[in-house]
Every structure is written in structure tokens, then in C-alpha cells.
Amino acid sequence: MKKIILFLTMLLTLVCTVCFAADGGDLNKQQKTAEKFIDAIDGAPVPEYTVIAPLLNENLAKSLGEKGYANLQKAVQEKFGKMESSKFVAFQRFDQADRVTYTGNFSKEKVVIMIFVFDKQSKMIDFALTPYQEPANEANKDAAK
């Protein structure tokens, strides 16, 4: 009986390891892409669009384009300022896409949430940079009345 339990435990451990390894490989690819994109925002060193384009989904590559890539860099600099740091926060796996989330500290915005969405081939299909806004809590609402 002990041998059967030991065998089942080893089998379950092996299955779990294989499942986590698959997620880890996707996460590594997606993090590398997100970090190259963050380098473009950061400004040092800025990867050429030819380096970024193959990492993008066909639709995103068409809609962004080389001019859009340059304009994005300028818009981020104007809106958020210079990036001071970035940090990986979360990896979320969904049925049709994965989401990698980073936070960034900028000179004009204290915290910016950077979300990168990937298809199942680990190509970036969307991204968003949003300033963090602290949620209003109930105590502050009552004090304001």
C-alpha cells in the first residue's frame, strides 16, 4: 500500500512540474518582450523598431508601425516623464491570452501600471500604461461628508 501511495505522489508531482514548466517558459518569453518594450519607454537603450516588430502580433505591428513606436516614446515622456524604475508584479493566464503586469516609477507620475497582453504564441497583442489611482476608502468618504 505504501508503494502505491508513493508512486501516486511521485506521478502527481511529475505532472505538476510539467504544467508549471510550460507556464514558466511562456512567462520567460513574455517578460523578455515586455522588458524590451519597457526599454523603449525608458529611453536607455532604446531598441530599434525592427527589434520590437517581430515580438508583436501582426495586428498590433500594423497599427503601431515605426512612426507610432516613435510617437509612443514621445507621448510617454510628455505624460509620465522619465522612467526611474520598473518592477514585475504579476502573470495571469487566461483561456485566450496571458497578461504580464509591471509597475513603473516616473518623474511626473509616482506609479504607473504597465499591462502587456499576449496571445498563445507569446506575441504581444495589446498594452496599456495607466497612472495608479489610490482607491477611495469608506473612511475618506465619511470624513468628506
Side-chain angles (χ1 to χ4, degrees):
M1 184 69 173
K2 289 181 184 179
K3 289 181 182 180
I4 292 173
I5 292 173
L6 181 62
F7 175 74
L8 290 175
T9 303
M10 287 177 39
L11 184 62
L12 182 60
T13 303
L14 179 64
V15 169
C16 290
T17 303
V18 170
C19 291
F20 287 128
D23 286 352
D26 291 343
L27 172 59
N28 288 339
K29 289 177 194 174
Q30 294 167 4
Q31 273 188 297
K32 285 179 184 177
T33 298
E35 288 171 2
K36 284 186 182 183
F37 210 80
I38 289 170
D39 285 345
I41 295 167
D42 185 12
V46 177
E48 296 292 324
Y49 181 71
T50 55
V51 173
I52 296 291
L55 306 173
L56 307 178
N57 172 282
E58 185 178 315
N59 293 334
L60 182 58
K62 284 181 187 175
S63 65
L64 185 62
E66 197 163 349
K67 285 185 181 180
Y69 180 68
N71 290 337
L72 173 69
Q73 293 168 10
K74 290 176 189 172
V76 168
Q77 288 280 330
E78 289 172 6
K79 185 173 182 178
F80 303 129
K82 182 169 174 42
M83 180 182 277
E84 296 167 355
S85 66
S86 65
K87 180 180 175 184
F88 172 75
V89 176
F91 172 66
Q92 295 170 298
R93 176 146 271 193
F94 300 103
D95 288 339
Q96 299 300 316
D98 298 333
R99 183 167 54 194
V100 178
T101 306
Y102 282 78
T103 57
N105 298 78
F106 290 79
S107 58
K108 293 181 182 177
E109 285 289 338
K110 188 173 181 176
V111 179
V112 175
I113 308 298
M114 299 180 284
I115 299 173
F116 304 95
V117 182
F118 295 88
D119 62 16
K120 290 301 175 180
Q121 289 73 42
S122 293
K123 298 281 187 174
M124 188 187 306
I125 58 175
D126 202 3
F127 63 92
L129 283 75
T130 309
Y132 174 75
Q133 295 193 0
E134 195 169 320
N137 66 33
E138 294 302 316
N140 289 343
K141 289 181 184 176
D142 291 339
K145 289 183 182 179

